[in-house]
Amino acid sequence: MLAYAFRRVLSAIPIALIAVTVCFFILRLAPGGPFDGERALPPTVLANLRAHYSLDQPLIMQYFIYVGRLLQGDLGPSMVIDGFRVADLIRIGFPFTLTLALYAFVIATAIGIVAGMLSAVYQNKWPDYVMVLVVMIGVVIPNFLNAALLQLVFGVHLGWLPAGGWVSGSVAHLVLPVTVLAWPHAARISRLMRGSMIEVLGSNYVRTARAKGLGERLVLARHAIKPALLPVVSYLGPGLSYLLTGSLAVEQIFGLPGIGKYFVTAALNRDYGIVLGTTILYMFIILALNLIVDLVYAWLDPKVRYR
């Protein structure tokens, strides 16, 4: 298992380099730049700024300079937020983003697994139809629209919850953002769990367990849940990465102090350092989560052997 993990890490290095290269050139070749504002800077000031951030160098030289700094663990400075480096901004905003995503991940995973199990047990009955309807709503409505609707209903008209902003230690300010993030994730997990559980419940060993007189709860606990979780486990790694990236837009909508506000502002202002640094951070998180999922999958299914 350790040898497999080591090989996966080595195989991820060229993938990471290709991703960094593509993101670098796409961002630099896009129209505009970090110093193109409504008010034009004096030529001397603009030239000094471009020289300070190595933007006066040929594009290929800028790439090699950036990769060289990246290999030393330096994500570079922010070109728009004066006095801050990209690592500093990530250190400030990412803990909140991670906390928000983990809350949504735990809640959505638990709800999705339970809902999928109940939907499979009561297949083609009214609980199944209700849960399928709720699942479809969570999948069809995009996050930004769902956030606006919840803000309007529960934050403005009913006034039950804060419509935005953040107060340290306030759980109420997290309810709507976590709901927006968790709903699609729970919907996808419940669909996977329902389909997998239906297949497992129709298998020969489950029918044999029932024929031996085991109760339905015992059959589910001993024989059905663990194999039915395999497709769900495969999704959990990418699912958490979706929550982390999806939280960027949710944080911007609800005015939360995560990394999302830095990323969106940087994308609009062509702050190359923050956009690239955030992209690299999420890329490595996705690679790490996929590796963890593979190892957990092997633990759940003894038949899986990595050669």
Side-chain angles (χ1 to χ4, degrees):
M1 192 69 67
L2 292 177
Y4 169 75
F6 182 71
R7 289 197 300 269
R8 282 295 303 270
V9 171
L10 289 180
S11 64
I13 293 176
I15 297 175
L17 182 59
I18 293 172
V20 170
T21 303
V22 171
C23 292
F24 180 90
F25 284 103
I26 287 178
L27 188 61
R28 294 301 176 95
L29 293 174
F35 310 119
D36 297 340
E38 294 182 1
R39 182 178 179 181
L41 295 174
T44 305
V45 175
L46 181 60
N48 290 335
L49 285 173
R50 291 179 61 84
H52 178 72
Y53 293 107
S54 301
L55 297 179
D56 58 339
Q57 301 289 331
L59 188 58
I60 190 65
M61 288 302 300
Q62 295 180 38
Y63 169 74
F64 285 119
I65 291 172
Y66 183 80
V67 172
R69 291 175 177 173
L70 186 62
L71 292 176
Q72 299 175 16
D74 183 9
L75 295 174
S78 169
M79 299 180 184
V80 174
I81 304 177
D82 187 36
F84 282 91
R85 302 190 69 80
V86 176
D88 298 330
L89 296 174
I90 291 177
R91 194 178 301 114
I92 293 171
F94 187 69
F96 184 89
T97 299
L98 182 61
T99 301
L100 185 66
L102 287 178
Y103 276 133
F105 177 78
V106 173
I107 294 172
T109 301
I111 293 176
I113 290 175
V114 173
M117 288 175 54
L118 293 175
S119 186
V121 171
Y122 295 101
Q123 184 183 5
N124 297 328
K125 297 180 181 178
W126 71 265
D128 184 22
Y129 297 143
V130 171
M131 291 179 187
V132 169
L133 176 62
V134 174
V135 164
M136 290 305 298
I137 294 175
V139 172
V140 170
I141 301 179
N143 275 354
F144 65 89
L145 180 57
N146 198 8
L149 292 174
L150 292 180
Q151 280 181 321
L152 184 63
V153 175
F154 296 101
V156 177
H157 291 311
L158 298 178
W160 292 353
L161 295 166
W166 170 246
V167 176
S168 180
S170 174
V171 178
H173 285 79
L174 291 177
V175 173
L176 291 182
V178 169
T179 302
V180 172
L181 281 176
W183 197 344
H185 184 71
R188 296 186 184 97
I189 289 180
S190 65
R191 291 178 63 186
L192 288 172
M193 190 67 186
R194 179 183 183 275
S196 180
M197 181 66 77
I198 289 174
E199 183 178 354
V200 170
L201 292 177
S203 60
N204 292 331
Y205 63 87
V206 171
R207 286 197 293 265
T208 302
R210 287 171 173 166
K212 289 181 178 180
L214 293 180
E216 189 67 22
R217 292 183 180 178
L218 199 58
V219 170
L220 291 174
R222 286 188 179 180
H223 301 283
I225 292 180
K226 189 173 179 179
L229 282 173
L230 292 176
V232 176
V233 170
S234 299
Y235 171 76
L236 290 182
L240 180 56
S241 65
Y242 296 155
L243 290 176
L244 285 169
T245 54
S247 65
L248 300 179
V250 172
E251 289 168 7
Q252 183 72 8
I253 294 172
F254 286 98
L256 299 175
I259 201 174
K261 64 177 182 179
Y262 300 125
F263 181 82
V264 174
T265 303
L268 294 175
N269 294 328
R270 297 292 191 274
D271 193 338
Y272 302 140
I274 295 180
V275 175
L276 279 172
T278 308
T279 303
I280 291 169
L281 172 67
Y282 282 114
M283 176 186 64
F284 280 105
I285 290 175
I286 292 171
L287 292 174
L289 290 174
N290 287 334
L291 174 60
I292 293 172
V293 165
D294 286 346
L295 299 178
V296 174
Y297 194 96
W299 173 74
L300 284 174
D301 189 357
K303 294 182 294 183
V304 176
R305 293 292 183 268
Y306 296 107
R307 301 296 183 186

